Amino acid sequence: MNLELMNTRRNNKIYSDGENTFKIFNKGYDKRLVFLESFITTEVESAGVKVPSILEVTNQEDQWTFKTEPVQWKTLFTMIKEDPVNIDKYLDKMIEVHTSIHKFKCPKLPVQKQKLTDYLQMAGLNEDLKIDLLDMLNSCPKHNKLVHGNFTPHNIVISNNEEYIVDWNHASQGSASADIAHTYIWMLMNMPEYAEIYLKKFCDITNTSSRYVHNWIPIVAAARLGKKISGEEELLNSLISVIEY
């Protein structure tokens, strides 16, 4: 089988054989995460979200693979980099796709608050700070909207003028504002000049107070510390420090 490399990501690479698309995970990638992502993607697809449909899950030489329907793999991130003068158009599209996700419900998915709690417990925080953050999290209103958990322009794929959302392994059911906080933090790290614009667009479109989203930022930043991603610690700690006691 002749495969053409279409995209390289942190935990996988995307290939095409001209008929189907293949997401090939790095060697040794956790089997549990492979099947969790497969399950969540299928649940999200069943709910009505536009995703590349998984046709087959296989393993060869310790590499797991998703065979999916054919999708042209051009991400919104690539489009922004190629055409920065039209950034407003791309941010508007990103907000449109992001808010459309939050209209769905997927009751079989993990609960966002529990996922955040688990990561907070792994973040290596001092005990007093951890207790304060958990109290903040527990006091937040309960919601059950579909949330992506890692919504970035890398995970919006444009194919035949349609938007597909990919990489659902962090998805859960919970608060849209917490989901926006995830994206805001990612943008601070990767596209800092657009982070505040994105947050303002979301708040304007959804009539959400920016203060409400900002209440989630220390919680989400601390939870992200629990993922132990190298190079992120300084920024994440600076966001946690804005807590008002």
Side-chain angles (χ1 to χ4, degrees), residues 45 80 138 188 219 240:
E45 180 187 14
I80 291 171
N138 291 330
L188 282 178
I219 300 168
I240 299 169

Side-chain angles (χ1 to χ4, degrees), residues 147-163:
V147 293
H148 187 278
N150 188 31
F151 189 84
T152 77
H154 285 293
N155 290 332
I156 305 170
V157 175
I158 312 298
S159 181
N160 296 323
N161 295 317
E162 291 190 290
E163 299 86 27

Side-chain angles (χ1 to χ4, degrees), residues 120 125 129-137 218-219 222 243:
L120 279 169
L125 304 168
L129 178 57
K130 182 173 73 173
I131 290 171
D132 285 333
L133 287 164
L134 288 171
D135 284 345
M136 288 177 63
L137 174 59
I219 300 168
I243 297 173

Side-chain angles (χ1 to χ4, degrees), residues 1 13 53 57 62 64 73 77 108 118 145 175 186-187 196 214 244:
M1 180 168 59
K13 293 181 179 179
S53 184
V57 182
D62 198 28
W64 290 97
W73 206 270
F77 183 82
K108 293 182 181 178
D118 293 343
K145 297 178 179 180
S175 165
W186 181 90
M187 294 187 81
E196 296 297 338
H214 276 283
E244 298 177 4

Side-chain angles (χ1 to χ4, degrees), residues 67-84:
K67 176 183 175 181
T68 73
E69 63 179 309
V71 174
Q72 297 171 0
W73 206 270
K74 186 161 189 177
T75 68
L76 193 66
F77 183 82
T78 298
M79 296 173 72
I80 291 171
K81 290 300 181 183
E82 292 176 348
D83 185 27

Side-chain angles (χ1 to χ4, degrees), residues 55-206:
L55 307 176
E56 191 174 271
V57 182
T58 58
N59 182 285
Q60 288 186 343
E61 298 179 358
D62 198 28
Q63 282 191 282
W64 290 97
T65 298
F66 290 165
K67 176 183 175 181
T68 73
E69 63 179 309
V71 174
Q72 297 171 0
W73 206 270
K74 186 161 189 177
T75 68
L76 193 66
F77 183 82
T78 298
M79 296 173 72
I80 291 171
K81 290 300 181 183
E82 292 176 348
D83 185 27
V85 70
N86 285 309
I87 184 60
D88 274 332
K89 177 181 75 173
Y90 297 124
L91 291 181
D92 286 343
K93 175 56 68 176
M94 194 172 162
I95 286 288
E96 177 188 328
V97 175
H98 205 174
T99 54
S100 71
I101 291 172
H102 300 149
K103 296 176 182 177
F104 291 93
K105 300 287 179 66
C106 285
K108 293 182 181 178
L109 264 58
V111 175
Q112 182 189 57
K113 279 194 171 186
Q114 186 58 57
K115 285 174 66 74
L116 290 169
T117 297
D118 293 343
Y119 278 118
L120 279 169
Q121 298 286 4
M122 297 186 290
L125 304 168
N126 73 65
E127 196 64 23
D128 289 340
L129 178 57
K130 182 173 73 173
I131 290 171
D132 285 333
L133 287 164
L134 288 171
D135 284 345
M136 288 177 63
L137 174 59
N138 291 330
S139 68
C140 290
K142 292 182 180 180
H143 294 281
N144 62 348
K145 297 178 179 180
L146 172 62
V147 293
H148 187 278
N150 188 31
F151 189 84
T152 77
H154 285 293
N155 290 332
I156 305 170
V157 175
I158 312 298
S159 181
N160 296 323
N161 295 317
E162 291 190 290
E163 299 86 27
Y164 291 78
I165 305 101
V166 300
D167 285 6
W168 286 93
N169 49 311
H170 297 291
S172 59
Q173 47 181 325
S175 165
S177 292
D179 205 33
I180 291 292
H182 277 281
T183 301
Y184 173 79
I185 290 170
W186 181 90
M187 294 187 81
L188 282 178
M189 291 187 286
N190 298 278
M191 307 173 76
E193 65 273 33
Y194 306 132
E196 296 297 338
I197 300 171
Y198 191 80
L199 178 55
K200 185 177 187 306
K201 283 180 179 290
F202 168 79
C203 291
D204 288 346
I205 289 171
T206 61

